[in-house]
Amino acid sequence: VKTVYDPSPVGYTIPASNAYTGFTTTGKEANNPNEFNIEGNYDNGYYFYTKSGKTGDKLFFYSSGYRSNHGYCVNSSNNGFIFTAGPKTIFSAYMFSFNEHTIDPTRTNSKNLGCSVRCVTEQ
């Protein structure tokens, strides 16, 4: 049942906290480009493969930055931050983050940041 707290449309949901672990070969933070499950190079975002071993469809995730505590857009051209549905603590939540040098599918950060949300289809 949808509530007013779910920003996704009917038929979609916020992804689980482990939804982006396939974007690295380790399922964790990666700083080695050989561990990135991507096609091509960083261009204000990445084309990520939907299946391991650089197979499956590709999805482009753009660098979206985040809204700071003061209302400013920060890092919009060089970092991507996407919240997932998984809270870590009362003050922090799991998110997917990336930039030219690092991909972290299970990062945590403060809930008060205004990060992007990317909905996925419900199963």
Side-chain angles (χ1 to χ4, degrees), residues 87-92 111:
K88 182 171 183 182
T89 69
I90 192 169
F91 300 109
S92 66
K111 289 181 181 179

Side-chain angles (χ1 to χ4, degrees), residues 91-112:
F91 300 109
S92 66
Y94 287 101
M95 65 183 343
F96 166 54
S97 70
F98 62 91
N99 60 40
E100 186 174 7
H101 308 287
T102 304
I103 296 173
D104 190 349
T106 57
R107 180 179 176 163
T108 59
N109 216 324
S110 177
K111 289 181 181 179
N112 67 340

Side-chain angles (χ1 to χ4, degrees), residues 59-80:
L59 300 171
F60 186 74
F61 282 70
Y62 59 92
S63 296
S64 54
Y66 62 91
R67 189 199 71 226
S68 73
N69 298 340
H70 303 291
Y72 302 113
C73 186
V74 180
N75 293 322
S76 61
S77 64
N78 55 4
N79 287 281

Side-chain angles (χ1 to χ4, degrees), residues 5-27:
Y5 302 106
D6 187 347
S8 52
V10 174
Y12 291 82
T13 188
I14 305 301
S17 59
N18 66 347
Y20 300 109
T21 56
F23 288 172
T24 66
T25 59
T26 63

